[in-house]
Amino acid sequence: MTQEDDVPYPLDAAAVRSWCGLALEALGRERERIDAINVYPVADGDTGTNLYLTLESAARAVEAAFDGHASAGTAPRLADAIGAMAHGALIGARGNSGTIVAQLLRGMTEVLAATDGSADALCRALRRAAASTYEAVAHPVEGTVLTVATAAADAAERAAGEAAGAAEVARAAHEGARTALRATPGQLAVLGRAGVVDAGGCGLVALLGALADVLSGEVSAAPVAVRADAPLPEAAGCEAAGRVAAAGCADPDGPAFEVIYLLEAGDAAVARLRTRLDGLGDSLVVVGGDGLWNVHVHVDDAGAAVEAGIEAGRPYRIRIQHFGGARIKEPEMTARAVVAVVPGAGLAALCAEAGATPVSVRPGEPPASGELVQAIRQAHAREVMLLPNDHDLRHTAAAAAEQARTEGVRVALIPTRSAVQGIAALAVHEPGRSFDEDVVAMTAAAGATRYAELALAERQSWTMAGVCQAGDVLGLIDGDVVVIGSELTGTAMTVLDRMLSAGGEMVTLVLGAEVPDGLAERLEGYVREHHLAVDTVVYDGGQHAAPLLIGVE
């Protein structure tokens, strides 16, 4: 279904949905080329990938908003769709450019959520988006995506002054961004030496081009089967990595780590956090608001950056990437690696210490397949064991494994349904034996581990163990509620008795951040007293893990 050229689409919820799909397709096609011209602020060749993952999260959030309204028998408004897009980008933002694009979308939302999507509203939204990026970046630099965003807003204002519609305003913004992008090598020396345009700006051009295509009626308003024809502008050639090496653009004395996390905190705490992180490193970008923020910074002391977040509020989805000595050089491929999805920073640290690449997630916000593919890429291994550690992630993990296989990586999906099964599988991982033998051993260890979880009921509901009330402690074994209790310790003991009634040699306890003091000691003592010859090991799960995870091998 297409629309006549002289009848453009309105800027409404359906257009936002189509915009997400078209932008994701465009970034998917351009991802590798944008990665190749990524020289600023760090020549680590991942801007295209980060932008794609950011938009993938935004698109998933928009689809979820549409699904929610469909189930309620209502239609989403523009405010619902654009708000979901901005929120999805915020929680899924990756890298410096992804974080800035998330702020751009948030700036647009601040205007569009209270309008009917008119040309004037779009013009004001683009201006607010550009201004908000300068507010988010600690030390703005011209010749970057910030400059491109400002040029887009300038061009939109000129078009709006000529009584143009929303489609014409979007097209003018796109053309203004393209023109500004071509000029970036003359504004930022590192781009001029490499002979390329700004990678983040290149991604923004793709994003604005998708919006212009949707509003002009050149594509279907459906969320699938969308297209983008116009190539992105660039300086002569795209072999940026080699040029950067020749031009000496990489800074071996720069910060060693990129640290990104989501943060629940108030405005005053975030203001103090900005000041502290600005003193620790560079490339500081803090975006968000209303209690939820995305923090991005390059530092030498990754631990100090995370600790600063803990002091400010509740950080989660913590990602730490080591740039290495020569940032433009790909790390040497290892023979085999493990990628594990884990809930909470404590388990992420545990997996990292064991040599695995952790993907830290917050309950209720599962990773997208693209995020798992990126983690597999960052493991830089010929063979990868992928531990989803969640029954509901099996399809997402399978899709990520299949994608990685098309890129030449041999991936085995170990069917772990809980973090404690992942710990058991990781404990028997042995890179020195054959791939197939390692898969069998890890799968067997996971399968031999029964898993349980203690959680707090959020509302009254029916369970397999009866009716629970809000605030009750639920004991789940292998995913099913089997115990309803009034307090954590007694419920945990009942769950342990049930699990150990069939035998067991090892109990694994993973503690959440807010469990009562002394809980681990009491449970260890209970196991010693009531279940002879059973050992207990305790791990700190950290924030956002369940109050208690239990594994029995």
Side-chain angles (χ1 to χ4, degrees):
M1 174 182 175
T2 59
Q3 192 166 356
E4 297 297 331
D5 291 342
D6 59 347
V7 184
Y9 284 116
L11 178 51
D12 57 11
V16 171
R17 188 186 200 187
S18 187
W19 179 24
C20 282
L22 183 55
L24 196 59
E25 272 204 2
L27 288 170
R29 277 193 306 275
E30 299 292 341
R31 178 182 63 80
E32 292 184 359
R33 194 163 69 83
I34 296 176
D35 282 345
I37 64 172
N38 172 203
V39 302
Y40 182 85
V42 176
D44 50 355
D46 63 359
T47 290
T49 298
N50 287 338
L51 287 171
Y52 180 86
L53 293 174
T54 301
L55 260 294
E56 182 182 49
S57 179
R60 291 178 68 203
V62 171
E63 288 302 316
F66 268 80
D67 290 344
H69 279 273
S71 63
T74 61
R77 299 170 297 120
L78 172 60
D80 300 321
I82 193 68
M85 185 179 183
H87 180 74
L90 177 67
I91 65 174
R94 301 290 291 266
N96 189 285
S97 294
T99 307
I100 291 173
V101 165
Q103 184 69 359
L104 278 163
L105 293 174
R106 179 178 175 83
M108 293 185 70
T109 299
E110 292 176 4
V111 175
L112 292 178
T115 71
D116 58 359
S118 65
D120 177 68
L122 178 57
C123 182
R124 288 186 288 111
L126 290 168
R127 175 59 67 194
R128 176 59 195 142
S132 68
T133 61
Y134 282 86
E135 298 167 3
V137 177
H139 303 284
V141 174
E142 298 303 326
T144 63
V145 63
L146 308 184
T147 306
V148 176
T150 300
D154 292 341
E157 287 180 349
R158 289 192 294 270
E162 300 172 359
E168 290 78 14
V169 168
R171 185 64 67 193
H174 177 227
E175 292 302 324
R178 285 171 62 90
T179 300
L181 181 62
R182 293 189 185 98
T184 55
Q187 297 171 299
L188 192 56
V190 65
L191 301 178
R193 289 196 299 269
V196 297
V197 295
D198 179 65
C202 203
L204 179 57
V205 167
L207 186 64
L208 292 174
L211 177 61
D213 284 350
V214 169
L215 295 183
S216 66
E218 295 179 9
V219 295
S220 169
V224 294
V226 291
R227 64 179 177 81
D229 297 325
L232 298 178
E234 59 180 337
C238 284
E239 300 303 323
R243 292 180 181 170
V244 172
C249 294
D251 181 8
D253 297 322
F257 297 96
E258 177 183 59
V259 178
I260 304 173
Y261 50 81
L262 291 178
L263 177 70
E264 294 177 351
D267 291 357
V270 169
R272 293 190 296 269
L273 176 66
R274 289 178 192 267
T275 301
R276 182 170 177 187
L277 291 180
D278 194 28
L280 289 176
D282 59 30
S283 297
L284 173 61
V285 184
V286 181
V287 304
D290 301 321
L292 180 62
W293 310 82
N294 191 304
V295 179
H296 169 282
V297 68
H298 295 170
V299 294
D300 280 322
D301 190 344
V306 175
E307 289 172 6
I310 293 173
E311 291 181 6
R314 295 172 63 88
Y316 60 100
R317 282 201 175 184
I318 300 166
R319 303 183 185 98
I320 300 174
Q321 179 180 349
H322 184 241
F323 290 127
R327 299 180 185 175
I328 58 171
K329 183 179 178 181
E330 282 290 310
E332 292 185 7
M333 296 285 284
T334 59
R336 192 175 304 158
V338 177
V339 173
V341 181
V342 291
L347 287 178
L350 174 66
C351 287
E353 290 172 5
T357 298
V359 179
S360 178
V361 298
R362 186 183 187 186
E365 296 179 1
S369 61
E371 190 171 354
L372 297 184
V373 172
Q374 180 65 0
I376 292 172
R377 292 187 186 119
Q378 290 177 346
H380 296 289
R382 300 180 186 89
E383 300 172 341
V384 171
M385 308 299 191
L386 178 58
L387 311 180
N389 294 336
D390 187 333
H391 179 72
D392 292 335
L393 284 180
R394 62 192 186 282
H395 296 307
T396 301
E402 187 60 33
Q403 174 60 38
R405 291 182 189 115
T406 67
E407 299 177 9
V409 182
R410 190 179 186 186
V411 181
L413 180 58
I414 309 299
T416 52
R417 294 172 291 172
S418 169
V420 290
Q421 287 189 326
I423 292 172
L426 188 57
V428 301
H429 169 58
E430 179 50 66
R433 61 187 166 207
S434 74
F435 182 80
D436 291 335
E437 289 176 340
D438 208 20
V439 170
V440 170
M442 295 179 72
T443 300
T449 302
R450 298 192 69 194
Y451 63 95
E453 174 182 339
L454 269 67
L456 297 179
E458 296 181 356
R459 64 185 68 87
Q460 183 187 65
S461 60
W462 289 91
T463 76
M464 293 184 63
V467 179
C468 71
Q469 305 297 325
D472 283 348
V473 179
L474 306 180
L476 297 85
I477 297 179
D478 295 338
D480 295 324
V481 177
V482 297
V483 178
I484 299 175
S486 59
E487 51 88 27
L488 195 64
T489 303
T491 306
M493 291 176 178
T494 302
V495 169
L496 283 167
D497 286 338
R498 293 202 179 193
M499 297 181 75
L500 290 168
S501 62
E505 299 176 354
M506 171 75 75
V507 169
T508 300
L509 303 176
V510 180
L511 307 179
E514 299 178 0
V515 297
D517 293 338
L519 175 66
E521 291 78 5
R522 288 194 292 274
L523 294 182
E524 283 184 283
Y526 184 82
V527 171
R528 278 196 307 269
E529 182 179 350
H530 294 84
H531 302 279
L532 301 178
V534 177
D535 294 325
T536 303
V537 61
V538 180
Y539 298 111
D540 179 11
Q543 288 181 337
H544 300 297
L548 182 65
L549 302 178
I550 302 174
V552 172
E553 301 175 48

